[in-house]
């Protein structure tokens, strides 16, 4: 999964996370009809349930 600077998830990816890696979420931002997770480092990832599992 890739992390981006903005909630649009556009532009070049800033960070890449491997499958199974645990990330800490700071807030949940609503973007149109979907949600984005803002990580503690300020980057955004998708909240798509096929890519993210709550632990």
């Amino acid at each position: 999964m890739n992390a981006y600077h903005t909630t649009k998830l556009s532009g070049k990816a800033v960070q890449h996370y491997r499958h199974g890696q645990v990330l800490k979420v700071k807030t949940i931002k609503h973007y149109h009809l979907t949600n984005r997770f803002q990580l503690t480092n300020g980057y955004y990832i998708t909240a798509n349930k096929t890519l993210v599992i709550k632990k």
Side-chain angles (χ1 to χ4, degrees), residues 3-26:
Y4 299 86
H5 280 296
T6 63
T7 55
K8 290 173 67 173
L9 303 184
S10 62
K12 190 172 179 180
V14 189
Q15 179 94 26
H16 179 77
Y17 297 104
R18 293 180 186 269
H19 178 73
Q21 189 168 354
V22 178
L23 304 172
K24 296 204 181 244
V25 175
K26 183 178 177 181

Side-chain angles (χ1 to χ4, degrees), residues 23-53:
L23 304 172
K24 296 204 181 244
V25 175
K26 183 178 177 181
T27 59
I28 298 174
K29 301 282 184 167
H30 300 286
Y31 180 74
H32 297 291
L33 297 176
T34 186
N35 294 316
R36 304 286 191 230
F37 291 147
Q38 184 178 21
L39 304 177
T40 54
N41 59 8
Y43 298 153
Y44 292 93
I45 59 172
T46 183
N48 187 329
K49 70 179 180 179
T50 61
L51 300 173
V52 178
I53 297 173

